[in-house]
Amino acid sequence: MLTGLILTGGFVLMAVLAPLFQALHLIADPQDILSSLPLEAPSPSHWFGTNVRGYDVFSRTLFGTQAALQVVILATTLSLVIGVPLGMISGYLGGKVDKCLLFLMDTLYTLPGLLLSITLAFILGRGLLNVAVAVSITYIPQYYRLVRNHTTSVKTELFIEAARAMGASPRRVLSRYLFGNVIQSVPVLFTLNAADAILILGGLGFLGLGLPEELPEWGHDLKEALPDLSTGIWWTTLFPGLFLTTLVVGISFIGEGVSELLNPRLRQQR
């Protein structure tokens, strides 16, 4: 987990410091086209070289961290805020409400996540918020199913029955007695979805459905650099791909660490 925190913290630090580095003229503007320097190899003036359009690869890779983290935070937060309450309400009330929500969520859950995100991104259009919404919808059923199953089992416990007998309203039972018991496994799912959201963002960018072309984003930059590999130009694909992979690995390590903290048996087995 410590390794994951260090890796992810490094990316967060880069995302925060990138605008400061640009303001101090330590790095180029990621949207500035250096027309006289297309496909220049890494050098002291351009640490990661330049791509076919003349963009500075280091600057675009660094600012691409911002886009990745913003989409991850928005997508996972939206899915959590929507999926968890729906799961609690569905599991607690049961009946027709539970059946309708379960049918809807099962329908979404059966669709491949990437395919659903591609379809939604195509409908909503490019943009940071649109991509985040498209990604978040694929995760809502996961939070719903997890929380609903926990709620269904916990609502039959004696302390819930006692709260009802004392006149506690459904809202009070959900917020005070159920929430703390069903939320324990959500952090693990949150970190797993965060790592997966980066891959989906990269896939959408690669297909041209992510952020606008002029904005730095790892998936789109990889798409632009794909033809360079056949000519021996390695730096335009190496650095965006390396950053994307490292961030996914870092968040995945955090997820494993959180899982071990919540379930000590996993640590003992390992």
Side-chain angles (χ1 to χ4, degrees):
M1 184 173 181
L2 180 60
T3 303
L5 290 173
I6 292 173
L7 291 175
T8 307
F11 279 97
V12 173
L13 188 63
M14 284 189 289
V16 172
L17 294 180
L20 177 61
F21 290 159
Q22 181 188 347
L24 296 175
H25 302 288
L26 297 176
I27 60 175
D29 189 316
Q31 300 183 47
D32 281 351
I33 298 178
L34 309 173
S35 57
S36 60
L37 298 172
L39 296 177
E40 180 183 325
S43 63
S45 56
H46 300 284
W47 293 354
F48 290 177
T50 60
N51 65 10
V52 68
R53 294 196 180 191
Y55 290 125
D56 182 77
V57 176
F58 177 70
S59 178
R60 293 197 48 99
T61 304
L62 202 62
F63 274 89
T65 306
Q66 281 189 334
L69 292 177
Q70 287 172 351
V71 169
V72 165
I73 293 172
L74 284 173
T76 50
T77 302
L78 280 173
S79 56
L80 186 148
V81 169
I82 297 173
V84 170
L86 286 180
M88 292 178 61
I89 293 171
S90 179
Y92 182 75
L93 296 180
K96 293 183 178 180
V97 173
D98 182 46
K99 290 181 180 179
C100 291
L101 287 174
L102 190 60
F103 175 78
L104 175 62
M105 294 300 169
D106 282 350
T107 302
L108 291 175
Y109 191 75
T110 56
L111 299 174
L114 181 58
L115 180 61
L116 180 59
S117 297
I118 291 172
T119 305
L120 294 172
F122 180 80
I123 295 172
L124 297 174
R126 289 184 171 185
L128 184 69
L129 183 59
N130 291 344
V131 172
V133 171
V135 175
S136 68
I137 292 176
T138 65
Y139 297 142
I140 290 175
Q142 298 182 28
Y143 289 100
Y144 168 84
R145 289 164 62 94
L146 177 67
V147 173
R148 176 192 173 276
N149 293 338
H150 279 290
T151 302
T152 303
S153 60
V154 172
K155 73 176 184 179
T156 58
E157 297 290 338
L158 292 178
F159 68 94
I160 299 295
E161 297 293 340
R164 288 174 180 169
M166 294 177 64
S169 64
R171 181 178 178 181
R172 184 174 179 82
V173 172
L174 288 172
S175 61
R176 183 166 182 177
Y177 300 103
L178 273 173
F179 180 78
N181 288 278
V182 303
I183 202 68
Q184 295 178 6
S185 56
V186 168
V188 178
L189 181 60
F190 186 88
T191 54
L192 294 176
N193 285 345
D196 188 58
I198 298 171
L199 296 176
I200 292 181
L201 173 63
L204 293 177
F206 192 86
L207 295 172
L209 298 173
L211 305 184
E213 291 185 0
E214 66 275 7
L215 297 179
E217 194 272 309
W218 295 333
H220 177 264
D221 288 351
L222 286 171
K223 173 191 174 184
E224 291 282 316
L226 192 60
D228 298 342
L229 290 174
S230 60
T231 58
I233 299 170
W234 51 269
W235 56 88
T236 54
T237 54
L238 173 64
F239 296 110
L242 184 63
F243 271 52
L244 188 153
T245 304
T246 306
L247 181 55
V248 170
V249 170
I251 297 178
S252 299
F253 282 167
I254 294 177
E256 289 186 4
V258 173
S259 180
E260 289 182 357
L261 287 175
L262 296 177
N263 189 355
R265 292 182 180 178
L266 294 177
R267 184 167 58 251
Q268 293 172 2
Q269 290 174 2
R270 191 178 73 170

